[in-house]
Amino acid sequence: MDYIASSKLPTPWAEFSIHIFVDPATSKEHLALTLGDVSDGKPVLARVHSECLTGDALFSQRCDCGAQLETALRAIATEGRGVLLYLRQEGRGIGLVNKIRAYQLQDAGADTVEANERLGFPADMRRYDLCKPMLAKFGISALRLMTNNPRKVRAMEKIGVQVSERIPIQVNRNPFNENYLSTKATKLGHWLKERL
């Protein structure tokens, strides 16, 4: 992972620093947002967030992604210190075109896992090894990770990043994403509360 450049990024919650990285193997651009002194050796409040154009930018209620992104940035701003890694792996790694194809299958009754599998993909193709060089750039080796995904916690530990605390980030449960969240819990093992 090649570090390219950094700049200031004022948001409604805080003025973050934004850092751009490029994966030389895929030419994909990945981002990190940092706030405060994250290189002091103490566990850092963090979110590892995979791109979701429909949720993050278009406010889709089919998922909880955009709400999780905003909640994480607010939490980091409130704390005055933290990091958010924004990984460009849309649709659990299948890309935007296939994600919309999966949506079409979901509209016809498939759940998110079934839709990916009918398109010939695993349920989740995301990679988290990308995080190691990004976190290393900032001297971060321990996280207080905002996630509901046990796979993400295991992935951080596998790359040598300690997860000293897991912070639940369950937000925006609504009638449009109830089946999506239930599938996350039952088929992907996410730590989520009961149905609406």
Side-chain angles (χ1 to χ4, degrees):
M1 185 75 68
D2 297 329
Y3 164 73
I4 305 300
S6 299
S7 180
K8 294 179 181 177
L9 185 73
T11 73
W13 313 288
E15 184 177 276
F16 290 85
S17 294
I18 186 168
H19 315 271
I20 185 85
F21 296 81
V22 174
D23 181 350
T26 63
S27 298
K28 281 209 172 176
E29 301 155 339
H30 304 279
L31 306 170
L33 273 65
T34 59
L35 183 67
D37 181 6
V38 295
S39 62
D40 60 6
K42 297 176 185 172
V44 176
L45 183 62
R47 168 85 181 148
V48 175
H49 190 90
S50 294
E51 177 180 33
C52 176
L53 178 72
T54 51
D56 298 343
L58 301 177
F59 315 106
S60 171
Q61 298 298 291
R62 293 181 76 127
C63 64
D64 56 348
C65 304
Q68 286 185 327
L69 178 62
E70 181 175 336
T71 299
L73 290 173
R74 281 181 187 274
I76 291 168
T78 298
E79 183 144 317
R81 177 178 177 271
V83 62
L84 184 136
L85 301 185
Y86 194 88
L87 305 179
R88 305 291 302 282
Q89 40 191 10
E90 179 76 52
R92 295 189 187 142
I94 66 174
L96 183 59
V97 169
N98 286 317
K99 175 180 173 176
I100 302 307
R101 288 179 176 144
Y103 275 3
Q104 188 174 25
L105 292 171
Q106 291 164 37
D107 290 344
D111 66 35
T112 54
V113 170
E114 292 165 346
N116 276 23
E117 290 172 346
R118 286 184 197 171
L119 291 171
F121 299 108
D124 192 340
M125 293 178 52
R126 290 176 292 179
R127 294 175 42 211
Y128 296 107
D129 57 314
L130 308 168
C131 301
K132 186 169 179 76
M134 296 173 78
L135 293 170
K137 164 74 177 162
F138 308 110
I140 297 171
S141 60
L143 304 177
R144 295 170 49 232
L145 188 62
M146 294 180 274
T147 188
N148 304 319
N149 185 346
R151 182 173 171 255
K152 203 177 286 185
V153 172
R154 290 192 302 269
M156 291 301 106
E157 292 169 345
K158 185 176 179 181
I159 63 171
V161 175
Q162 178 192 0
V163 178
S164 65
E165 180 184 3
R166 182 194 69 89
I167 300 168
I169 186 166
Q170 186 170 340
V171 290
N172 194 39
R173 192 170 201 128
N174 66 69
F176 298 103
N177 68 19
E178 180 62 36
N179 289 337
Y180 164 84
L181 292 174
S182 295
T183 299
K184 274 181 155 184
T186 59
K187 292 193 173 181
L188 300 174
H190 287 214
W191 296 299
L192 293 168
K193 294 178 185 172
E194 295 298 315
R195 299 170 70 91
L196 280 170

